[in-house]
Amino acid sequence: MTFTQALLGFAAVAAVLTVIPGLDTTLVLRSALVRGNGYAVATALGIGTGALIWGAAAAVGAAALLAASEVAYRVVTLGGAVYLVYLGVMLIVKSFRTHGLEVEGTAGEAISKWRGFLTGVWTNLLNPKIGAFYLATIPQFVPAGVSPLGMGLLLAGVHDLLAVAWFALIIAGASYARRWLANARALRVVDRVAGVTLVGFGVKLALPGH
């Protein structure tokens, strides 16, 4: 397998994974609808950063160790499940309050974006399925004579670029839809739907065999 073939082959696999509706898409969509484009972009960047970390871990074997140890895998899985359920419950609880539902402006924007970035990072890192995906694919796309770590980061970067393009479409669509959703009642519904979705992802992640 040549270097070019490896890049194109991995890109094809990653593209399919990217467009399948999942947790990352839910987080970015909810962020764009409720918090605005800046927060959504920060969340997307956090998700991408988490993917790069997983890619490096898979390339140097950390993800292999995680996959080999059932106890370690379950600990990370349960930690991620608890985190997702926590995020979902917090969204549902906040949706019943009368404040904090408007799309954010410039006040506290830097802090808010940083929070969005960290949410994206931790959500991605606490999902061992991302590590399992990289573990299953990256070794197959490392040509002979190429640094595994360098190739792992490059392939994770390719995945990030595809995700950025996908998230950009989501954010643009949400920005258009927000013209009709920018009211307290609609935003409460968005938060409740997103919260239930996150709780569902968390529960599914915690179930044995997932």
Side-chain angles (χ1 to χ4, degrees):
M1 179 184 296
T2 66
F3 182 82
T4 301
Q5 289 174 334
L7 281 180
L8 294 178
F10 180 83
V13 175
V16 174
L17 177 70
T18 299
V19 300
I20 294 176
L23 174 61
D24 292 350
T25 299
T26 299
L27 282 178
V28 173
L29 179 59
R30 185 265 170 188
S31 298
L33 288 174
V34 179
R35 297 298 186 91
N37 291 353
Y39 190 95
V41 169
T43 302
L45 290 176
I47 291 171
T49 300
L52 286 175
I53 295 173
W54 270 123
V60 299
L65 177 62
L66 182 65
S69 172
E70 182 177 353
V71 174
Y73 184 86
R74 287 302 296 166
V75 168
V76 175
T77 299
L78 291 175
V82 170
Y83 181 66
L84 293 181
V85 171
Y86 168 78
L87 287 179
V89 170
M90 288 300 99
L91 287 179
I92 295 172
V93 170
K94 288 180 181 179
S95 73
F96 287 96
R97 299 174 182 173
T98 57
H99 61 279
L101 289 172
E102 294 79 12
V103 176
E104 293 186 1
T106 57
E109 188 174 359
I111 296 177
S112 176
K113 289 180 180 179
W114 179 244
R115 186 181 300 116
F117 176 81
L118 291 179
T119 298
V121 171
W122 283 113
T123 299
N124 198 285
L125 289 181
L126 289 174
N127 185 358
K129 289 187 176 181
I130 300 298
F133 165 74
Y134 283 146
L135 174 64
T137 55
I138 285 181
Q140 302 179 38
F141 295 97
V142 179
V146 177
S147 166
L149 176 58
M151 194 65 183
L153 289 174
L154 178 60
L155 294 179
V158 169
H159 188 193
D160 274 358
L161 288 177
L162 293 171
V164 165
W166 177 243
F167 290 152
L169 290 175
I170 292 174
I171 292 172
S175 179
Y176 183 76
R178 198 163 58 241
R179 300 176 185 177
W180 291 273
L181 295 175
N183 62 80
R185 178 175 296 180
L187 293 178
R188 287 191 184 98
V189 172
V190 170
D191 268 357
R192 290 169 191 172
V193 171
V196 171
T197 302
L198 291 177
V199 171
F201 274 117
V203 172
K204 182 179 180 181
L205 190 62
L207 293 177
H210 289 80

